[in-house]
Amino acid sequence: MSTTSIDLNADLGEGFGRWHLTDDEELLSVVTSANVACGFHAGDPVTMRRVCDRAAERGVRIGAQVSYRDLAGFGRRAMDVPVEELAAEVAYQVGALEVFARAAGTRVSYVKPHGALYNRVVHDEEQARAVVEGVLLAGGSLPVLGLPGSRFLESARRAGLPAVTEAFADRAYTEEGTLVPRSGEGAVITEADAVVERSLDMARSGRATSRTGREIAVRARSLCLHGDTPGAVDLARRVRARLESAGVRVEAFA
């Protein structure tokens, strides 16, 4: 498969009070979609409003980055949340962000799970259904962003939601096409040149090499660039420049 266009997304607004993890201002000058933390793993009202304002000014699409209620663990701890409760919490997060998006003259354009929830809904049908129910409860038919072949995207399609596939240039993959857990050795790829070239390969061929050396399919409409890694802004700029120099259009999916 030859991809002529790709969206670049990044997790933004991942701060709380005086603590800031991501360089939102600079990353918003590179990405086309912003996954904004909605307060459950990071983010607070002031941060959410600021990111929405800046994203709207730059024409960057705003996405609700929904999470388990785990502020202390940054949303990366496994949790068992009943379907009804999780659906309500997802809708709550989307609704909170929508207030600030509308105040900025735009709106929430899509939804993406974060951390432990993102990985859980790859295989867990019940939790995947709960997130989809939460998106529906929030109103409209927002696209959802997730891993190719996941239960989450399957559940979204059945519910009539646009399901958008995503790839990670700076994360190691298993042979099954899932992400190597962050606790695993080599889970995050930090060598900048490797990340840049992987980005181009993913965009043009929809392929990547797993941690074991096997070639796997990672066909995606959006490419995630993590904003919490060292040198994230410079790396994001290099990735975008490499894609555009190779003739790949960088544009939002929503």
Side-chain angles (χ1 to χ4, degrees):
M1 183 187 79
S2 176
T3 301
T4 57
S5 66
I6 194 94
D7 169 69
L8 294 180
N9 77 78
D11 301 342
L12 302 181
E14 291 186 327
F16 195 85
R18 297 178 63 184
W19 174 71
H20 299 283
L21 179 64
T22 52
D23 190 341
D24 299 332
E25 293 283 347
E26 294 300 323
L27 284 168
L28 282 169
S29 68
V30 181
V31 300
T32 47
S33 296
N35 317 316
V36 184
C38 300
F40 272 34
H41 75 280
D44 57 32
V46 173
T47 302
M48 292 163 66
R49 182 179 184 183
R50 182 176 63 248
V51 175
C52 285
D53 286 347
R54 300 298 182 271
E57 290 170 2
R58 292 165 172 78
V60 174
R61 301 296 188 271
I62 295 171
Q65 190 183 25
V66 298
S67 169
Y68 286 127
R69 188 191 293 269
D70 181 27
L71 196 59
F74 197 61
R76 288 180 176 166
R77 298 184 292 191
M79 303 181 74
D80 291 313
V81 182
V83 169
E84 184 177 352
E85 182 177 340
L86 182 56
E89 291 189 342
V90 167
Y92 179 93
Q93 292 175 79
V94 175
L97 188 64
E98 180 71 9
V99 169
F100 298 118
R102 286 187 178 274
T106 183
R107 63 173 303 167
V108 171
S109 296
Y110 65 95
V111 176
K112 174 184 173 178
H114 162 81
L117 182 58
Y118 186 98
N119 292 317
R120 180 75 172 268
V121 298
V122 171
H123 301 295
D124 191 315
E125 178 70 34
E126 185 177 75
Q127 295 283 280
R129 178 166 51 84
V131 176
V132 170
E133 288 181 3
V135 176
L136 294 171
L137 183 60
S141 56
L142 291 174
V144 297
L145 191 58
L147 208 65
S150 65
R151 294 295 181 90
F152 176 49
L153 293 189
E154 291 174 4
S155 182
R157 292 187 186 100
R158 289 197 300 270
L161 298 178
V164 183
T165 53
E166 174 182 39
F168 296 79
D170 61 354
R171 290 293 305 277
Y173 281 85
T174 67
E175 290 189 357
E176 292 73 35
T178 58
L179 299 179
V180 173
R182 281 184 174 267
S183 58
E185 184 179 354
V188 179
I189 299 168
T190 58
E191 210 286 306
D193 289 342
V195 174
V196 171
E197 292 310 310
R198 278 166 59 93
S199 298
L200 184 58
D201 287 343
M202 289 174 172
R204 292 202 301 192
S205 68
R207 311 291 295 181
T209 301
S210 72
R211 186 172 59 171
T212 58
R214 178 182 176 184
E215 189 177 79
I216 57 173
V218 289
R219 294 182 175 87
R221 178 64 186 86
S222 185
L223 186 66
C224 181
L225 303 173
H226 282 106
D228 59 350
T229 54
V233 173
D234 287 339
L235 181 57
R237 287 176 177 149
R238 285 189 59 188
V239 168
R240 178 157 187 164
R242 183 74 176 97
L243 291 169
E244 292 178 332
S245 68
V248 178
R249 296 194 313 275
V250 178
E251 58 185 11
F253 66 82

